Amino acid sequence: MNSRISYDVIGFALFAGVILFGVPAILGYDAFELSTFSRYLSLAIVSMALALSWGTAGLLNLGQAATFGMGSYAMAMHLKLKASGESLPDFMGWNNVDTLPWLWVPFQSLTFTLLAGFLIPAGVGGLIAVFMFRARIAGVFVAIITLAFLVAFQLLVINQQGFTGGQNGLTGLAPLEIFGWVVDIYSVSFYYLVSACLLVALTLGLYLTHSKFGLVLRAIREDPERTRYFGYNVASYETLIFCISAALAGWAGMLYALVLEFASPTYMSVSFSLAIVIWCAVGGRESVLAAAIGAILVNLAEGRLSDVFVEGWHLILGVMFLLVVMFMPRGIYGLIVDAGRALKRQGSRAETVEYNPPDALLSQNRES
Amino acid sequence: MSQLQVKDLQVQFGGLRAVDGMNFDVEKGEIMCLLGPNGAGKSTTLDLICGKTQPTGGSILFQGTEISRMLEFKRARLGIGRKFQVPSVYKDLTVVENLSVARSARPSVLHSLTSRAVRRSARVKEILDIVGLVNKQDEAAGNLSHGETQWLEIAMLIAQDSRLILMDEPTAGMTIQETDRTAKIFRKLSANHTLIVVEHDMSFVRTVADRIIVMNQGKKLAEGSIQEIEANEAVKTAYLGH
Ligand SMILES: Nc1ncnc2c1ncn2[C@@H]1O[C@H](COP(=O)(O)OP(=O)(O)OP(=O)(O)O)[C@@H](O)[C@H]1O
Ligand SMILES: [Mg+2]
């Protein structure tokens, strides 16, 4: 077995163990603490989604927060409609909207909502991707275009108050009801729901990165030109990973809206998008697992430290990012891989040392 | 019909006609060597055939199909492979991973999604053996020496298994022994592949070439066997300057 695969399989098993058994035990099955941790886990999904496009294919998507936001609004629209019952959502009345906008109608269906939560982001991501990658846009220009899209999309959501709740977002949501189960976010089962989503997303990510598809993406990251001369349609590879990444971000957004019990345009802000990049970089963008862990660790630190440094947290985050970029560009994952390699080298040296002593002993015996 | 037919091929960069009305055919299974002084337009000719550069005139027929407007990946799928003048392996990938990318008989997204990243098939082992990289197969390509990098590129072209292979200075920087080994590999390759080779090393050209075309200032200066070329006055003038 290839060493890349074994690292990831062992890592995944350990991670799953910690998430499913370790964390709940450490937190003493405390419902409130677990719900906070569920939030970190949903953010881990959006971070691993970025690792797929950025780490694997080298496409730095700074609009990841936009697709994340779409997922969260899809979920929130459904729950808002449920909370409003027969009447219109309250904010629409305040904005002189007197019939339910067509865009909202299908969100009365849970099935539609769950599908829309990742199909809409995937579709939008795919559309942007098709235009970018057919025109062979790469590198920093991908970051600029996706960032511009994010800013425009957030503005649109804020301006269309009557349809989106504007700056306030969507609040006063009903709890989600799925197969007759009313989801209580302060419950152990909700924690396991989010954990399961993360583990499924990671399994998908690991499958993709270890398939030939993932290998071709890594080739594209290094040299898209060269890869074309082997017959690969580079644009279609890039477009697909962009879509998958957007879909996972939307999925994460749905869970996030559930955990926080509202959707807000701040989910689609530039600073949120940059935060995703930081989590991914801290963990290590080359591995989906590492990117997920990066998101959990940074958010855990934020949860603990932002109480202490209320004002300074963003500064700390910025400095952290600078340090990572300068001193560990491959993140925590890079450190572990390098350490593993150094150990292996030491191990093989130790073996040769162990192999020699009998000879030395023999000669000593002869002498004595 | 010839496998490759190039007619009145032309490309202009600003005021410079880098390739200026080239006409030649290449037969199946032939090794055709392209010679010429620096800046003659040899690399540009290969660029035009593989799709890196768009021609401003003329046509290129590959197995009877007009390819001069096709996207590069489609030409690759038709069976045209390319080695560039500057070594271009994937430095972050291991040797076997490089070979796996190169083995691209089925390049579709769907097929990649359902295949493993690396398959150490008998054929892969055989190719590693031919180029002597068996012991380095799990090494990152970035850690290879210059010579080994050249070998890896040749291995990648063998793995790609294109019908027509375009080689730009494959022996640059190789030792005499390595160059000899490359010549043997090329002769073997020509059983199933057609090769166009740009090369400056005349002893190498003498061993491998079935036919030679000499270019100068974007134009074909001479064409023929090695003896004919070596006796050609125009070629002597072009190389000596006067
Ligand atoms: N993309 C380009 N834009 C402008 N000029 C170019 C371009 N590519 C090549 N040229 C010019 O076209 C001419 C032919 O270049 P080419 O690389 O084909 O020469 P060559 O025969 O391969 O030479 P060498 O033996 O040095 O590799 C040169 O004068 C070069 O500067
Ligand atoms: Mg050249």
Side-chain angles (χ1 to χ4, degrees), chain A residues 65 73 154 158 166-167 262-273:
Chain A
Y73 271 73
Q154 192 200 19
I158 292 175
Q167 199 69 258
F262 69 96
S264 150
T266 55
Y267 300 175
M268 305 173 200
S269 64
V270 173
S271 63
F272 187 75
S273 234

Side-chain angles (χ1 to χ4, degrees), chain B residues 37-44 46-47 82 85 168-169 198 200:
Chain B
N38 289 75
K42 307 178 296 290
S43 297
T44 307
L46 299 191
D47 289 348
R82 171 79 190 263
Q85 191 164 350
D168 206 344
E169 308 200 5
V198 171
H200 286 292

Side-chain angles (χ1 to χ4, degrees), chain B:
Chain B
M1 187 184 55
S2 308
Q3 188 167 37
L4 185 76
Q5 295 170 291
V6 172
K7 287 190 198 116
D8 301 323
L9 192 62
Q10 180 193 317
V11 70
Q12 192 147 354
F13 297 123
L16 173 81
R17 289 211 173 145
V19 173
D20 190 5
M22 281 291 283
N23 283 286
F24 63 89
D25 291 351
V26 185
E27 305 302 324
K28 203 170 169 196
E30 188 180 29
I31 300 186
M32 200 275 270
C33 283
L34 202 52
L35 306 186
N38 289 75
K42 307 178 296 290
S43 297
T44 307
T45 304
L46 299 191
D47 289 348
L48 288 164
I49 300 172
C50 75
K52 184 166 191 250
T53 303
Q54 295 301 313
T56 46
S59 81
I60 307 168
L61 293 180
F62 177 64
Q63 297 172 340
T65 314
E66 173 63 53
I67 59 164
S68 63
R69 302 279 157 208
M70 248 181 218
L71 286 174
E72 356 13 355
F73 77 87
K74 291 198 173 144
R75 299 192 206 197
R77 286 180 186 186
L78 277 183
I80 298 177
R82 171 79 190 263
K83 180 207 171 293
F84 290 91
Q85 191 164 350
V86 283
S88 55
V89 299
Y90 301 104
K91 293 201 172 84
D92 292 346
L93 307 187
T94 64
V95 168
V96 276
E97 284 174 336
N98 269 279
L99 285 184
S100 178
V101 173
R103 265 178 89 78
S104 51
R106 299 173 71 185
S108 76
V109 170
L110 206 63
H111 185 259
S112 307
L113 279 172
T114 50
S115 333
R116 259 188 294 158
V118 170
R119 277 185 49 229
R120 288 168 210 264
S121 60
R123 179 66 184 147
V124 169
K125 290 213 179 74
E126 190 184 37
I127 294 172
L128 285 169
D129 224 26
I130 295 174
V131 297
L133 287 175
V134 178
N135 293 329
K136 303 260 176 166
Q137 55 180 304
D138 289 313
E139 192 76 48
N143 297 340
L144 298 181
S145 69
H146 178 80
E148 289 167 338
T149 307
Q150 295 275 76
W151 284 115
L152 176 56
E153 279 213 88
I154 290 171
M156 287 165 81
L157 284 165
I158 300 175
Q160 188 183 1
D161 199 22
S162 299
R163 290 192 189 91
L164 171 65
I165 304 177
L166 313 172
M167 295 270 192
D168 206 344
E169 308 200 5
T171 70
M174 283 188 178
T175 62
I176 296 173
Q177 289 85 345
E178 286 169 337
T179 305
D180 285 349
R181 204 157 130 208
T182 309
K184 287 205 187 79
I185 293 176
F186 278 27
R187 290 288 4 151
K188 225 188 228 167
L189 273 177
S190 72
N192 299 307
H193 307 261
T194 311
L195 280 86
I196 302 180
V197 184
V198 171
E199 195 43 79
H200 286 292
D201 183 332
M202 279 314 287
S203 71
F204 179 80
V205 170
R206 223 168 271 130
T207 357
V208 302
D210 293 312
R211 194 158 51 96
I212 294 168
I213 289 180
V214 182
M215 282 185 80
N216 191 26
Q217 297 184 347
K219 290 192 169 72
K220 182 160 80 180
L221 191 64
E223 176 172 356
S225 67
I226 181 87
Q227 292 80 11
E228 288 166 328
I229 294 298
E230 282 180 333
N232 189 304
E233 286 303 320
V235 172
K236 283 183 193 161
T237 328
Y239 268 100
L240 297 174
H242 287 286

Side-chain angles (χ1 to χ4, degrees), chain A residues 272-315:
Chain A
F272 187 75
S273 234
L274 293 179
I276 301 172
V277 174
I278 297 176
W279 308 333
C280 192
V282 169
R285 64 191 174 111
E286 285 163 71
S287 153
V288 286
L289 186 59
I293 294 172
I296 296 171
L297 291 181
V298 176
N299 279 289
L300 209 62
E302 178 168 354
R304 297 281 179 269
L305 294 180
S306 61
D307 296 338
V308 189
F309 311 101
V310 181
E311 290 299 313
W313 170 249
H314 278 100
L315 194 67

